[in-house]
Amino acid sequence: MEKRLERLQEIIGYRFQKPGLLAHALTHSSYANEKRWDKTRCNERLEFLGDAVLELVSSNFLYHQYPDMPEGEMTKLRASLVCEPTLAYCAESISLGEYLYLGKGEELTGGRKRPSVVSDAMEAVIGAIFLDGGLANAKEFICRFVLDDIEHKKLFYDSKTILQEMVQAEGRGDLSYVLIRESGPDHCKVFEACVRLGDEELGRGFGRTKKAAEQVAAYHGICRLKK
């Protein structure tokens, strides 16, 4: 087995009975295309499965964790926990992008940090764990790396509005968002933005759109102000 797959298993605290499933989960379509492999050898099918497992586990978690929360609020909270920026943030916590198999073009255009790529891979890993070790192991992974620290992660849903309200309540000046850079082809760009309070930078973020990058930057800004 590749040493990097060994390292990743140590990080996530789960050892695969079938390591090939983990390698499959880490294989981006660009790599499979470059190798001229069959389409099913990339991680998209595992992502499809992992998305369903994640929704089931997160729904069950919220149902029991918040017994008095109405259905509409649970739906909104679940959406914030399984949205692309949140999953990309979770993937960053285990450095998942470093372990992906990417095609040369995807590699050169920043695919290892592209939120859509790493969030999809996060779901694919969930799907792989589910197939390899069942729902209990998939649930343990999700609870450890996705459903932890909910009070912070749910801010991803509308972090720009929340940050604006925090700054206004404290009378601390004006917020501004600055596009730092954009990279990648037109059909798959990655934007990096920062949020500033006056001349002070509060946070940075990446996203597939300027708005998404600003939302992640605002999230980091909220975390900084709360500290």
Side-chain angles (χ1 to χ4, degrees), residues 63-202:
Y63 182 86
H64 290 96
Q65 186 75 9
Y66 302 98
D68 299 321
M69 183 179 285
E71 179 269 344
E73 290 183 31
M74 284 197 296
T75 299
K76 182 177 179 180
L77 178 51
R78 182 182 64 194
S80 71
L81 294 173
V82 302
C83 68
E84 181 182 292
T86 308
L87 290 178
Y89 178 76
C90 298
E92 184 180 335
S93 72
I94 58 175
S95 302
L96 189 60
E98 296 178 14
Y99 299 93
L100 300 180
Y101 297 101
L102 300 177
K104 293 178 182 178
E106 189 68 32
E107 179 85 61
L108 291 172
T109 56
R112 294 192 186 278
K113 291 187 177 180
R114 184 168 290 125
S116 60
V117 172
V118 293
S119 63
D120 287 352
M122 191 73 173
E123 290 182 326
V125 169
I126 291 170
I129 293 174
F130 173 74
L131 288 180
D132 189 73
L135 183 59
N137 284 298
K139 179 181 177 180
E140 184 175 338
F141 175 85
I142 292 167
C143 288
R144 182 178 176 187
F145 295 110
V146 180
L147 299 179
D148 63 316
D149 198 16
I150 284 182
E151 292 306 309
H152 273 166
K153 288 178 178 174
K154 70 182 182 181
L155 300 176
F156 269 121
Y157 195 74
D158 198 9
S159 53
K160 289 181 70 174
T161 299
I162 294 169
L163 180 59
Q164 184 68 41
E165 291 172 350
M166 288 175 65
V167 169
Q168 287 179 343
E170 298 176 11
R172 297 185 58 173
D174 296 323
L175 287 174
S176 62
Y177 291 87
V178 179
L179 179 64
I180 298 172
R181 66 175 61 88
E182 57 182 88
S183 59
D186 289 339
H187 70 280
C188 199
K189 282 191 175 296
V190 176
F191 296 87
E192 182 181 8
C194 75
V195 57
R196 293 175 179 167
L197 181 57
D199 295 327
E200 177 187 7
E201 183 177 312
L202 294 181

Side-chain angles (χ1 to χ4, degrees), residues 21 24-29 38-53 120-121 123-128 130-131:
L21 278 170
H24 192 171
L26 300 173
T27 302
H28 187 256
S29 58
D38 184 271
K39 181 72 172 176
T40 59
R41 291 184 67 178
C42 75
N43 64 6
E44 291 175 355
R45 282 169 52 84
L46 281 174
E47 173 206 339
F48 168 82
L49 179 60
D51 175 68
V53 175
D120 287 352
E123 290 182 326
V125 169
I126 291 170
F130 173 74
L131 288 180

